[in-house]
Amino acid sequence: MSTLRGYASQGSHRHAHAPHVARRLSVASLRRRRGLGALAAAWGAFVLTRLGQVVDTVAMTATTGALPSLRGLDRVVLSLVSIPTVVGLMIAAGVIAAVRRRPALAVRAAAIIALAVASTQILKHDILWRPDVGISPAIANSLPSGHVTAAATAAVALTIVVPVRIRSLVALAGAAWTALMGIAVVLNEWHRPSDVVAAIGVVTFYALLLAPVETGTRTPRGRRVLAWAMTICVAAAVVGLVAALLTVAAATGGPAAPAGASWLADAAHAQTPATLAAATAGLASILAVATFAAWSVDRLYS
């Protein structure tokens, strides 16, 4: 009789959690669309338009000029993201999932990595393009960034396989790691900020598509820190982007003005309000999408 009551209690507990799980899945669906929105906005606003290309390119060159003391660190970070590193992180995620007796989590993590990396390469080389509007001599499309995709998927993989009680802390560390990788590729002038934002958008989509809704005891401090970090970074990115678009448009004479490669060449060696605003907007945008992705995965909890 007591066994029957136990089963009934477990069943009622599951039914009680069902609405919460459904609500979380609905919210995750909305955030998946925001991940695709980040990809579409990065490409549409900063690749397909003349003013966007100016802001994006000067953000990269101004960041390199404003943060010369970090040159060298970027190469160290970039060297860490390689095929052996990604494979090692996949193995680590699988080991953690096996220890927790959750092999399905390892499969989900591997699927997120494989789909995000493959989608990034297909988008970059076969679907998206970069029009030549006279802004830079290199017109080959570089969006999304493959390095950042690899770093972000590794962070997501570890986040979804660790126990729920430390998920927020791991997600926060993953956001920092992803943002560091994004800043490193910009500092090294491998990618513009829009390439980084688009890559994290791709990873966010697949993470929220495949990561499960978990239950268990959580660490409230880590959750609050991650939420505050995301809020501050998103606010800074919005303000920075508005300031960058306005100041760069004013400096170049407007979106349709002929200022292009020559203005960028001068701007790369000068710290003006326009270049500083663009650099700030680029860095803040990278931090914003990295923390949003981590926060979204961390919120898959009932």
Side-chain angles (χ1 to χ4, degrees):
M1 193 68 179
S2 62
T3 303
L4 291 176
R5 280 198 298 269
Y7 284 132
S9 175
Q10 292 176 7
S12 63
H13 182 71
R14 284 194 296 269
H15 287 303
H17 275 281
H20 298 288
V21 173
R23 188 159 53 249
R24 289 297 184 193
L25 290 175
S26 177
V27 172
S29 177
L30 173 63
R31 290 175 186 152
R32 280 201 302 273
R33 291 194 289 273
R34 290 177 181 172
L36 292 180
L39 167 64
W43 183 59
F46 295 97
V47 175
L48 297 184
T49 69
R50 184 183 184 84
L51 178 60
Q53 283 198 20
V54 173
V55 172
D56 204 24
T57 302
V58 79
M60 176 183 67
T61 56
T63 299
T64 303
L67 302 175
S69 60
L70 294 182
R71 296 303 296 271
L73 174 62
D74 55 341
R75 293 180 178 83
V76 173
V77 176
L78 291 171
S79 67
L80 295 176
V81 177
S82 59
I83 295 299
T85 302
V86 174
V87 172
L89 289 172
M90 289 179 65
I91 293 173
V95 170
I96 294 172
V99 170
R100 295 185 62 203
R101 298 182 181 179
R102 300 282 303 277
L105 289 180
V107 175
R108 289 175 182 266
I112 291 170
I113 293 174
L115 289 171
V117 170
S119 295
T120 289
Q121 296 305 314
I122 293 171
L123 286 168
K124 183 190 302 187
H125 298 295
D126 300 318
I127 297 178
L128 305 180
W129 68 93
R130 182 179 183 85
D132 182 5
V133 293
I135 299 303
S136 61
I139 62 172
N141 178 58
S142 57
L143 181 150
S145 165
H147 274 77
V148 175
T149 298
T153 52
V156 167
L158 290 177
T159 299
I160 69 172
V161 300
V162 298
V164 172
R165 66 179 178 274
I166 62 171
R167 174 185 267 193
S168 296
L169 297 176
V170 174
L172 184 61
W177 159 249
T178 301
L180 183 61
M181 175 56 60
I183 294 171
V185 295
V186 172
L187 275 173
N188 210 44
E189 295 190 2
W190 286 12
H191 287 283
R192 302 167 183 87
S194 63
D195 302 345
V196 176
V197 170
I200 300 175
V202 172
V203 176
T204 302
F205 172 78
Y206 284 113
L208 297 179
L209 179 67
L210 296 173
V213 176
E214 295 281 5
T215 60
T217 303
R218 307 221 325 172
T219 305
R221 181 177 297 177
R223 188 170 71 251
R224 286 195 296 267
V225 170
L226 183 57
W228 274 107
M230 182 203 65
T231 302
I232 293 170
C233 291
V234 169
V238 171
V239 173
L241 285 170
V242 172
L245 290 170
L246 292 176
T247 55
V248 172
T252 58
S262 61
W263 183 84
L264 287 174
D266 295 335
H269 303 288
Q271 292 188 1
T272 67
T275 59
L276 291 176
T280 301
L283 295 177
S285 297
I286 291 171
L287 290 168
V289 292
T291 51
F292 173 76
W295 176 79
S296 298
V297 174
D298 182 53
R299 293 286 291 174
L300 291 175
Y301 169 82
S302 65

